[in-house]
Amino acid sequence: VSTQSTGDAVEGKQLVSNSALFLIGVPTMFLDTCFYYWIILSLIRTSQQLTLRRQTRKLEVYKYFFGVLGVAGILTLVMVGCKAYYQYKSKYGQSNSWWKIEWIFDIYWDFL
């Protein structure tokens, strides 16, 4: 039983070339970064307005939400780093157990 992701080879043939993955991936990452930046700036502006209006209960909720986003962002960076490490390790023959942990990354993104 094997799983087939976009860049995996199937019977010696690659489904999508690495350059196509790069051309699709970079604009997608840039767009995601712009959305996250926009959300964070909006949260900061809203928090400033709530502080000026002295709406402490709403401000607490926004601070909590900002903290949740921060934790999710840090966990995402850790997960991306781990995935890059294990892919590098398996590509250069240092480990042959990539398939044993690959499911963790898929489950993490579904959970998040």
Side-chain angles (χ1 to χ4, degrees), residues 18-91:
N18 288 333
S19 59
L21 287 175
F22 182 76
L23 289 174
I24 293 170
V26 170
T28 304
M29 288 185 286
F30 179 73
L31 188 62
D32 285 347
T33 303
C34 289
F35 281 135
Y36 293 137
Y37 185 70
W38 180 33
I39 290 169
I40 289 172
L41 282 180
S42 297
L43 276 173
I44 290 171
R45 287 185 195 130
T46 304
S47 296
Q48 289 172 347
Q49 288 178 357
L50 291 174
T51 302
L52 291 174
R53 294 179 185 170
R54 296 185 180 143
Q55 296 179 350
T56 56
R57 193 57 106 176
K58 286 183 186 178
L59 183 60
E60 289 175 16
V61 172
Y62 275 92
K63 283 184 179 181
Y64 181 77
F65 183 60
F66 191 73
V68 168
L69 281 178
V71 169
I74 290 170
L75 289 176
T76 298
L77 289 175
V78 167
M79 190 60 77
V80 166
C82 289
K83 186 170 183 175
Y85 170 73
Y86 281 112
Q87 281 184 337
Y88 175 80
K89 196 173 169 184
S90 70
K91 182 177 181 179

